[in-house]
């Protein structure tokens, strides 16, 4: 498994977008052929900080133990399995596009139960993340703070 990489150096262009007209069709074709998954089922994130660079998609690292912390997550149906190394607390951003809010959500961390219950939609959470992300394909209706057991 890997990535197919195409590198096309552009000669005699500056650090600007003067090249856009000649590259527009290629870039737009690439974007159309590689749609982004707004709520990926698998995530991995490692960070040294919690004030910035601490979020990937639907997980935010809030507290770490030591010089850095890593969390790996897999979402299946309404269950989230996490493996944490050095992360003490993380927040899950939950979307009704990825989870069924009419059923309980379970979260296990390092093989131990961390949460099992219903999650309620919160309009304030929706507005906060919609304003921050400005992305109508990634709307989060609830936050769930997980303390690593």
């Amino acid at each position: 498994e890997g990535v197919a990489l195409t590198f096309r150096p552009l000669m005699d262009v500056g650090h600007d977008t003067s090249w856009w007209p000649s590259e527009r069709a290629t870039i737009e074709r690439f974007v159309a052929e590689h749609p982004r998954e707004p709520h990926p089922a698998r995530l991995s994130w490692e960070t040294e900080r919690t004030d910035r660079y601490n979020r990937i998609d639907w997980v935010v690292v809030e507290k770490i133990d030591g010089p850095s912390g890593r969390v790996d997550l897999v979402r299946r149906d309404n269950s989230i399995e996490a493996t944490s190394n050095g992360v003490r607390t993380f927040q899950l951003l939950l979307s009704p596009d990825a989870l069924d809010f009419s059923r309980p959500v379970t979260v296990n961390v390092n093989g131990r139960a961390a949460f099992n219950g219903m999650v309620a939609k919160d309009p304030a959470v929706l507005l906060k993340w919609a304003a921050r992300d400005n992305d109508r394909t990634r709307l989060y209706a609830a936050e769930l703070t997980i303390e690593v057991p």
Side-chain angles (χ1 to χ4, degrees):
E1 189 174 318
V3 175
L5 177 66
T6 302
F7 179 72
R8 296 175 36 164
L10 301 175
M11 308 314 269
D12 302 320
V13 297
H15 194 71
D16 57 29
T17 57
S18 62
W19 49 266
W20 177 251
S22 67
E23 297 297 315
R24 179 179 179 172
T26 302
I27 293 170
E28 288 180 349
R29 184 172 46 254
F30 175 86
V31 169
E33 292 171 358
H34 301 85
R36 175 180 62 99
E37 169 58 48
H39 308 287
R42 294 178 160 288
L43 294 177
S44 291
W45 196 243
E46 185 160 354
T47 186
E48 299 170 336
R49 306 174 64 154
T50 57
D51 60 333
R52 55 197 275 194
Y53 315 125
N54 62 326
R55 176 183 176 199
I56 185 169
D57 298 314
W58 46 271
V59 66
V60 182
V61 175
E62 294 187 328
K63 293 179 188 170
I64 58 176
D65 224 5
S68 70
R70 178 183 175 108
V71 63
D72 300 290
L73 302 104
V74 177
R75 185 188 66 245
R76 288 185 191 91
D77 195 29
N78 263 31
S79 177
I80 298 169
E81 296 289 329
T83 303
S84 170
N85 185 8
V87 172
R88 303 302 320 140
T89 306
F90 59 92
Q91 184 177 67
L92 300 174
L93 307 178
L94 306 178
S95 172
D97 293 332
L99 295 165
D100 182 352
F101 280 51
S102 69
R103 296 180 24 235
V105 173
T106 61
V107 180
N108 294 316
V109 181
N110 297 332
R112 296 178 60 198
F115 179 84
N116 185 11
M118 300 299 290
V119 178
K121 294 178 183 177
D122 183 343
V125 170
L126 178 66
L127 291 173
K128 176 176 98 174
W129 290 104
R132 188 172 295 174
D133 292 344
N134 194 25
D135 183 345
R136 289 177 287 165
T137 68
R138 291 179 13 154
L139 299 176
Y140 302 107
E143 298 169 324
L144 184 58
T145 299
I146 301 296
E147 300 286 336
V148 175

